Amino acid sequence: MLSIILLIILPYIGLWKLFEKAGRPGWEGVVPLYNIYMMIKLSGRPMWWFVMILIPGLNFLVMIGITVDFVKSYGKFRLIDHIAAVALPFIFLPKWGFDKDTKYIGQSASPEFREKFKVALKKTAAREWADAIIFAVIAATLIRTLFIEAYVIPSASMESSLLIGDYLFVSKVNYGARLPMTPVAFPFAHHTMPLINTKAYWDGIELPYYRLPGLSEVKKGDVVVFNYPMDADSPLYRPVDKRENYIKRCQGTPGDTLSVVNAQVFINSKAAPTPPHGEMGYLVKSDGSEINPQLINELHLEDISPRSNTDFITNTTVASANALKGYSNIKSVTPDIAPKEAEGDIYPSKYPKYKITPNFPTFNWNVDNYGPIIVPKKGWTVKLDSLTFPVYGRAIEIYEGNKVEVVGKDILINGKKADTYTFKLNYYFMMGDNRHNSEDSRFWGFVPEDHIVGKALFIWMSIDDNASFLNKIRWGRLFNIIH
């Protein structure tokens, strides 16, 4: 309610009063789109500016220009006034609307106005620089928010499809840009200010989730950047769009039935394609002789963990595992797959909060044998019982914003007994390509649609921190399309 008052009602009150000062009926200032049309007219800008308002992305920049022109028509020539009108309209538009000294003085974009007020409108060198910097910051912020953003791979969960040190461009256009949910934030900082380690945003205003139309929906097999869902119930709680960015491959889309059988993903009972450059754990039996370090580097053998004097576990690709078999000191290389019924500390077993009987159902699932599990879809109604509530209870409570309680064998949602629940959001099941070294949906469940950031497009830079100075850049990875 506070957000509605601040962001909508107060600016409209200010526009009502300012329109009256220009000799227009006050109601023209509160009719959506028509009020923008009239602001353009009162400022003297050509009417094709109104057409640009209808273009997603461009409309933000155009609206800033219209707002600045509009307040200039009331004698607000200072840079601080323009910033105030754009950033804090709920304060300054009503303030100027009720200010007796603020008057409409003409169409600020007209030649006559510029000639009449040329002294007041003249910009100093400092003002020119300030305008240029502010425009650059605004333009860059809009590009990052609505079109494309850079991202760096921080962990090994997507190897060898993506490597630590790969710098990517992530498209916001493919799935539709998610509008900021925490609008008051420091430019270019995600959630923490560099050096001083303080919050880079103010969470006093949080807007509801809204996404612009995109080119497509999230598809199975897409490499997706999203906000880390576990931050939702972390002691270090942050708003959705300020949570850590994660990158995984989408395996299940809304409504899919997903299972993993002996490390093979199945979607709706059909085997899903396995990423060709993905990694998993292999048990390597050797004759006890030392493995050549150069071979370890060439075959990208990661996380080598000895089992005995002759055996060790390593993460690598299928191609590297097959190549390893050809060496004389290697006796065998077999996938290290957890057996069925071997329970792991994964989702949903790790969340006993949602058990509704003294005997919590045994989900004998692990990273290699998981499910079947249905990925929630917007509008899907699930029957809640001892088998389903442990799977969906967390999404119902944390992501859908309900108060959930278990009293004996009864499930209470917002204080009322519930036998079913209809989902309000779409969800996705994400997995890393490095199947045995990835914290993903197998550990913390579904990713809600409001956490989706964008689609990874291509690698624009790749740096190997462990390489020598001359070999730090992985030239062969530059501008590779991400599949």
Side-chain angles (χ1 to χ4, degrees), residues 74-126:
Y74 291 83
K76 308 302 177 185
F77 300 139
R78 299 180 305 165
L79 176 61
I80 190 67
D81 292 330
H82 302 163
I83 296 174
V86 172
L88 300 169
F90 48 86
I91 295 176
F92 286 91
L93 293 186
K95 177 181 180 295
W96 293 330
F98 287 97
D99 179 17
K100 294 181 179 179
D101 294 330
T102 299
K103 296 180 173 60
Y104 178 75
I105 57 176
Q107 295 179 322
S108 61
S110 67
E112 296 81 11
F113 187 96
R114 291 170 180 167
E115 179 63 27
K116 182 177 180 180
F117 297 101
K118 62 182 179 181
V119 175
L121 290 170
K122 185 178 180 180
K123 297 180 181 180
T124 63

Side-chain angles (χ1 to χ4, degrees), residues 71 102 161 263 313 369 470:
V71 298
T102 299
S161 302
I313 299 292
N369 288 280
L470 296 176

Side-chain angles (χ1 to χ4, degrees), residues 140-152 167-173 177-178 187-191 225-227 241-243 245 247 452-458 460 482:
T141 300
L142 290 176
I143 289 171
R144 292 176 70 242
T145 301
L146 302 174
F147 297 103
I148 198 166
E149 184 175 6
Y151 179 81
V152 61
Y167 288 78
L168 323 175
F169 274 131
V170 177
S171 167
K172 308 294 183 70
V173 177
R178 181 186 61 186
F188 311 124
H190 182 41
H191 54 64
V225 173
F226 55 91
N227 297 117
D241 57 340
K242 297 303 176 183
R243 294 170 189 166
N245 287 328
I247 184 167
I452 300 294
V453 174
K455 181 179 181 179
L457 292 182
F458 64 90
W460 61 272
I482 297 171

Side-chain angles (χ1 to χ4, degrees), residues 16-69:
W16 183 294
K17 299 299 293 182
L18 289 171
F19 272 48
E20 287 183 338
K21 290 186 175 189
R24 304 297 306 182
W27 63 264
E28 291 183 344
V30 300
V31 179
L33 290 181
Y34 183 71
N35 55 5
I36 298 175
Y37 171 83
M38 290 307 304
M39 289 170 68
I40 295 172
K41 190 172 182 179
L42 290 172
S43 304
R45 285 292 180 187
M47 284 300 110
W48 52 262
W49 275 52
F50 184 76
V51 177
M52 293 194 293
I53 283 293
L54 306 178
I55 303 174
L58 181 62
N59 53 5
F60 285 89
L61 283 173
V62 175
M63 194 62 219
I64 290 172
I66 292 172
T67 302
V68 170
D69 283 342

Side-chain angles (χ1 to χ4, degrees), residues 153-159 162 164 246-248 431-435 437-440:
I153 299 295
S155 71
S157 70
M158 286 295 291
E159 291 194 351
L162 296 171
I164 295 174
Y246 265 42
I247 184 167
K248 309 289 180 187
M431 292 175 63
D433 287 359
N434 192 346
R435 294 294 167 79
N437 189 17
S438 172
E439 183 185 346
D440 51 39

